[in-house]
Protein backbone atom coordinates (compact mmCIF):
# COMPACT_ATOMS: atom_id res chain seq x y z
CA UNK A 1 0.00 0.00 0.00
CA UNK A 2 1.21 3.46 -0.79
CA UNK A 3 -0.58 6.19 1.12
CA UNK A 4 0.33 9.78 0.41
CA UNK A 5 2.10 11.59 3.22
CA UNK A 6 0.13 14.64 4.28
CA UNK A 7 2.26 16.05 7.09
CA UNK A 8 3.48 19.62 7.14
CA UNK A 9 6.44 20.14 4.75
CA UNK A 10 8.05 22.48 7.26
CA UNK A 11 8.12 20.02 10.16
CA UNK A 12 11.35 19.64 12.10
CA UNK A 13 10.54 16.09 13.21
CA UNK A 14 13.41 13.68 12.68
CA UNK A 15 11.31 10.52 13.05
CA UNK A 16 12.17 8.40 9.98
CA UNK A 17 9.69 7.12 7.43
CA UNK A 18 11.78 4.00 6.99
CA UNK A 19 14.46 2.29 9.00
CA UNK A 20 17.68 4.17 8.28
CA UNK A 21 19.30 4.05 11.72
CA UNK A 22 19.56 1.77 14.76
CA UNK A 23 16.30 0.85 16.44
CA UNK A 24 17.70 2.22 19.70
CA UNK A 25 17.89 5.72 18.21
CA UNK A 26 14.41 5.49 16.70
CA UNK A 27 12.89 4.32 19.98
CA UNK A 28 14.67 7.11 21.85
CA UNK A 29 13.34 9.62 19.33
CA UNK A 30 9.74 8.52 19.90
CA UNK A 31 10.25 9.10 23.63
CA UNK A 32 12.10 12.37 23.19
CA UNK A 33 10.12 14.03 20.39
CA UNK A 34 6.61 12.66 20.98
CA UNK A 35 6.78 11.90 24.71
CA UNK A 36 5.50 8.38 23.99
CA UNK A 37 6.34 5.47 26.25
CA UNK A 38 8.30 2.80 24.37
CA UNK A 39 8.85 -0.88 25.09
CA UNK A 40 11.32 -3.36 23.57
CA UNK A 41 9.53 -6.48 22.35
CA UNK A 42 10.41 -9.72 20.63
CA UNK A 43 11.91 -9.82 17.13
CA UNK A 44 12.18 -12.07 14.08
CA UNK A 45 15.04 -14.53 13.75
CA UNK A 46 16.22 -16.60 10.79
CA UNK A 47 15.76 -20.34 11.39
CA UNK A 48 16.53 -23.32 9.18
CA UNK A 49 13.77 -25.82 8.47
CA UNK A 50 12.87 -28.58 6.02
CA UNK A 51 11.65 -25.98 3.58
CA UNK A 52 14.75 -23.81 3.90
CA UNK A 53 15.32 -20.64 5.87
CA UNK A 54 12.35 -18.98 7.55
CA UNK A 55 11.72 -16.26 10.08
CA UNK A 56 10.31 -17.05 13.50
CA UNK A 57 9.63 -15.03 16.62
CA UNK A 58 12.47 -14.84 19.13
CA UNK A 59 10.05 -16.10 21.83
CA UNK A 60 10.49 -19.65 20.55
CA UNK A 61 6.78 -20.42 20.12
CA UNK A 62 7.18 -21.15 16.42
CA UNK A 63 4.04 -21.05 14.28
CA UNK A 64 1.93 -20.78 17.44
CA UNK A 65 3.11 -17.26 18.27
CA UNK A 66 0.15 -14.82 18.20
CA UNK A 67 2.27 -11.83 17.09
CA UNK A 68 5.59 -13.03 15.63
CA UNK A 69 8.30 -10.46 16.26
CA UNK A 70 6.10 -7.85 17.91
CA UNK A 71 4.90 -8.75 21.39
CA UNK A 72 6.25 -8.14 24.90
CA UNK A 73 8.88 -10.59 26.06
CA UNK A 74 7.73 -10.41 29.69
CA UNK A 75 4.39 -10.49 31.49
CA UNK A 76 5.29 -7.38 33.49
CA UNK A 77 5.83 -5.39 30.31
CA UNK A 78 3.81 -2.39 31.51
CA UNK A 79 6.45 -1.65 34.14
CA UNK A 80 9.23 -1.88 31.54
CA UNK A 81 7.84 0.79 29.25
CA UNK A 82 9.68 4.08 29.48
CA UNK A 83 9.26 7.65 28.33
CA UNK A 84 12.96 8.40 28.82
CA UNK A 85 15.18 8.55 25.76
CA UNK A 86 18.20 7.68 27.92
CA UNK A 87 16.53 4.58 29.32
CA UNK A 88 15.26 3.60 25.87
CA UNK A 89 18.77 3.63 24.45
CA UNK A 90 19.96 1.52 27.37
CA UNK A 91 17.18 -1.04 26.88
CA UNK A 92 17.83 -1.42 23.15
CA UNK A 93 21.60 -1.54 23.68
CA UNK A 94 20.96 -4.83 25.49
CA UNK A 95 18.95 -6.19 22.55
CA UNK A 96 19.43 -4.12 19.38
CA UNK A 97 17.00 -6.24 17.34
CA UNK A 98 14.04 -5.76 19.70
CA UNK A 99 10.84 -4.50 18.13
CA UNK A 100 9.52 -1.08 19.16
CA UNK A 101 6.15 -1.31 20.89
CA UNK A 102 4.05 1.65 22.03
CA UNK A 103 1.67 1.11 24.98
CA UNK A 104 -1.78 2.54 24.32
CA UNK A 105 -4.05 4.14 26.89
CA UNK A 106 -1.27 6.47 28.03
CA UNK A 107 -0.40 9.21 25.54
CA UNK A 108 -2.88 7.94 22.96
CA UNK A 109 -5.40 5.26 21.98
CA UNK A 110 -5.59 3.76 18.50
CA UNK A 111 -8.67 3.08 16.36
CA UNK A 112 -8.00 -0.23 14.59
CA UNK A 113 -9.76 -0.75 11.22
CA UNK A 114 -9.21 -2.75 8.00
CA UNK A 115 -6.80 -1.15 5.58
CA UNK A 116 -9.43 -0.79 2.84
CA UNK A 117 -11.81 1.01 5.20
CA UNK A 118 -8.99 3.11 6.62
CA UNK A 119 -7.93 4.35 3.17
CA UNK A 120 -11.53 5.22 2.29
CA UNK A 121 -12.02 7.08 5.57
CA UNK A 122 -8.67 8.86 5.29
CA UNK A 123 -9.52 10.21 1.84
CA UNK A 124 -12.83 11.52 3.18
CA UNK A 125 -11.18 13.07 6.25
CA UNK A 126 -8.65 14.88 4.10
CA UNK A 127 -11.44 16.33 1.92
CA UNK A 128 -13.20 17.48 5.11
CA UNK A 129 -9.89 18.84 6.47
CA UNK A 130 -10.48 16.86 9.65
CA UNK A 131 -7.74 16.99 12.29
CA UNK A 132 -5.60 13.89 12.03
CA UNK A 133 -2.89 12.37 14.19
CA UNK A 134 -0.31 9.78 13.15
CA UNK A 135 -1.63 6.68 11.37
CA UNK A 136 0.13 3.30 11.20
CA UNK A 137 -0.29 0.75 8.42
CA UNK A 138 0.45 -2.84 9.50
CA UNK A 139 1.56 -6.02 7.66
CA UNK A 140 -1.81 -7.66 8.37
CA UNK A 141 -3.54 -4.93 6.36
CA UNK A 142 -4.89 -2.89 9.24
CA UNK A 143 -4.68 0.84 9.90
CA UNK A 144 -4.30 2.37 13.34
CA UNK A 145 -5.54 5.96 13.81
CA UNK A 146 -4.02 7.66 16.88
CA UNK A 147 -6.50 9.61 19.03
CA UNK A 148 -6.73 11.00 22.54
CA UNK A 149 -6.81 8.39 25.35
CA UNK A 150 -10.19 7.24 26.61
CA UNK A 151 -11.64 6.32 23.21
CA UNK A 152 -12.66 2.82 24.29
CA UNK A 153 -15.37 4.08 26.64
CA UNK A 154 -16.80 6.43 24.00
CA UNK A 155 -16.84 4.35 20.82
CA UNK A 156 -19.85 2.05 21.51
CA UNK A 157 -22.14 5.00 22.26
CA UNK A 158 -20.86 7.07 19.35
CA UNK A 159 -21.34 4.19 16.93
CA UNK A 160 -24.91 3.62 18.15
CA UNK A 161 -25.73 7.30 17.60
CA UNK A 162 -24.57 6.90 14.01
CA UNK A 163 -27.02 4.02 13.52
CA UNK A 164 -24.57 1.13 13.72
CA UNK A 165 -24.16 -1.75 16.12
CA UNK A 166 -20.60 -1.83 17.47
CA UNK A 167 -20.50 -5.61 17.00
CA UNK A 168 -21.36 -5.26 13.30
CA UNK A 169 -18.31 -3.13 12.48
CA UNK A 170 -14.71 -4.28 12.17
CA UNK A 171 -13.61 -1.33 14.28
CA UNK A 172 -11.92 -1.72 17.64
CA UNK A 173 -9.97 0.44 20.08
CA UNK A 174 -6.52 -0.28 21.41
CA UNK A 175 -6.48 1.38 24.81
CA UNK A 176 -5.24 0.75 28.32
CA UNK A 177 -3.35 -2.54 28.62
CA UNK A 178 -2.73 -2.88 24.87
CA UNK A 179 0.08 -1.96 22.48
CA UNK A 180 0.74 -0.98 18.88
CA UNK A 181 3.87 -1.77 16.82
CA UNK A 182 5.84 1.34 15.94
CA UNK A 183 7.45 1.80 12.52
CA UNK A 184 9.81 0.45 11.34
CA UNK A 185 9.17 -2.70 13.42
CA UNK A 186 9.21 -5.79 11.18
CA UNK A 187 6.93 -8.64 12.21
CA UNK A 188 4.55 -11.32 10.98
CA UNK A 189 0.98 -12.48 11.20
CA UNK A 190 0.06 -15.62 13.20
CA UNK A 191 0.21 -19.12 11.74
CA UNK A 192 2.50 -21.27 9.63
CA UNK A 193 1.85 -19.14 6.52
CA UNK A 194 2.84 -15.93 8.26
CA UNK A 195 2.72 -12.72 6.25
CA UNK A 196 5.82 -10.70 7.19
CA UNK A 197 6.27 -6.98 6.69
CA UNK A 198 7.04 -3.73 8.43
CA UNK A 199 4.78 -1.33 10.25
CA UNK A 200 4.79 1.90 8.23
CA UNK A 201 3.51 5.42 8.70
CA UNK A 202 0.48 6.09 6.51
CA UNK A 203 0.59 9.53 8.15
CA UNK A 204 3.87 10.36 9.80
CA UNK A 205 4.26 12.03 13.22
CA UNK A 206 5.03 15.69 12.59
CA UNK A 207 5.01 18.95 14.50
CA UNK A 208 1.58 19.71 12.99
CA UNK A 209 -0.11 16.62 14.44
CA UNK A 210 1.46 16.63 17.89
CA UNK A 211 -1.99 17.37 19.36
CA UNK A 212 -4.16 14.34 18.73
CA UNK A 213 -7.84 14.50 17.73
CA UNK A 214 -10.64 13.27 19.97
CA UNK A 215 -12.34 10.09 18.83
CA UNK A 216 -15.53 12.10 18.16
CA UNK A 217 -13.74 13.89 15.32
CA UNK A 218 -12.90 10.69 13.42
CA UNK A 219 -15.58 8.17 14.31
CA UNK A 220 -18.15 9.15 11.66
CA UNK A 221 -16.00 8.59 8.55
CA UNK A 222 -14.38 5.50 10.08
CA UNK A 223 -17.72 3.92 11.04
CA UNK A 224 -19.15 4.75 7.60
CA UNK A 225 -16.15 3.17 5.84
CA UNK A 226 -16.25 0.06 8.05
CA UNK A 227 -20.00 -0.21 7.47
CA UNK A 228 -19.48 -0.19 3.71
CA UNK A 229 -16.90 -2.96 4.09
CA UNK A 230 -19.26 -5.08 6.19
CA UNK A 231 -21.99 -5.18 3.51
CA UNK A 232 -19.72 -6.10 0.62
Amino acid sequence: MNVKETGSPTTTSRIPRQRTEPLADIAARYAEERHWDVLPGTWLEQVEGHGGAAERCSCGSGAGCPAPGAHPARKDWSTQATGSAVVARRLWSKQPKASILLPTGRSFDALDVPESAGCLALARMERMEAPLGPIVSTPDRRMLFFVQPGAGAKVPGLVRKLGWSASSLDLSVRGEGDLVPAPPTRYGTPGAASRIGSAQWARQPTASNRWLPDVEELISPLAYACGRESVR
Side-chain angles (χ1 to χ4, degrees):
M1 184 192 69
N2 183 17
V3 180
K4 182 180 178 181
E5 291 284 353
T6 54
S8 167
T10 60
T11 178
T12 58
S13 174
R14 295 172 293 143
I15 293 174
R17 297 182 182 180
Q18 299 179 359
R19 181 175 177 177
T20 57
E21 58 188 313
L23 289 171
D25 291 344
I26 298 173
R29 201 152 292 155
Y30 286 135
E32 185 174 45
E33 293 192 2
R34 300 300 292 198
H35 304 293
W36 291 341
D37 283 0
V38 294
L39 172 76
T42 56
W43 60 93
L44 294 175
E45 293 183 327
Q46 285 278 346
V47 295
E48 293 295 331
H50 296 297
E55 290 184 282
R56 293 286 185 266
C57 186
S58 62
C59 71
S61 297
C65 181
H71 65 83
R74 293 168 41 170
K75 291 183 178 180
D76 63 342
W77 62 263
S78 62
T79 63
Q80 279 188 293
T82 179
S84 165
V86 173
V87 175
R89 285 195 172 90
R90 184 166 68 242
L91 290 172
W92 267 269
S93 70
K94 297 176 182 177
Q95 186 43 259
K97 297 179 182 179
S99 59
I100 304 174
L101 305 178
L102 305 175
T104 49
R106 300 184 181 189
S107 299
F108 62 88
D109 283 356
L111 303 179
D112 184 337
V113 300
E115 182 181 89
S116 54
C119 289
L120 177 64
L122 179 56
R124 186 180 180 192
M125 291 173 189
E126 289 175 341
R127 288 195 301 270
M128 296 166 58
E129 297 184 352
L132 286 167
I135 304 170
V136 173
S137 175
T138 70
D140 55 348
R141 295 179 178 173
R142 308 289 296 182
M143 289 179 74
L144 307 172
F145 289 71
F146 287 20
V147 294
Q148 290 282 348
K154 299 177 180 179
V155 164
L158 292 171
V159 168
R160 282 195 300 270
K161 286 182 180 179
L162 293 169
W164 300 96
S165 164
S167 61
S168 69
L169 299 180
D170 187 1
L171 187 161
S172 60
V173 180
R174 299 199 191 189
E176 187 175 357
D178 208 343
L179 307 121
V180 297
T185 289
R186 190 168 179 272
Y187 65 103
T189 56
S194 178
R195 175 188 174 94
I196 294 174
S198 296
Q200 300 178 30
W201 289 116
R203 189 178 178 93
Q204 192 179 12
T206 66
S208 64
N209 62 22
R210 183 173 298 279
W211 300 104
L212 300 177
D214 289 323
V215 64
E216 291 92 339
E217 298 175 277
L218 305 189
I219 195 64
S220 179
L222 283 172
Y224 170 77
C226 289
R228 280 191 52 175
E229 291 296 308
S230 68
V231 297
R232 283 188 175 183

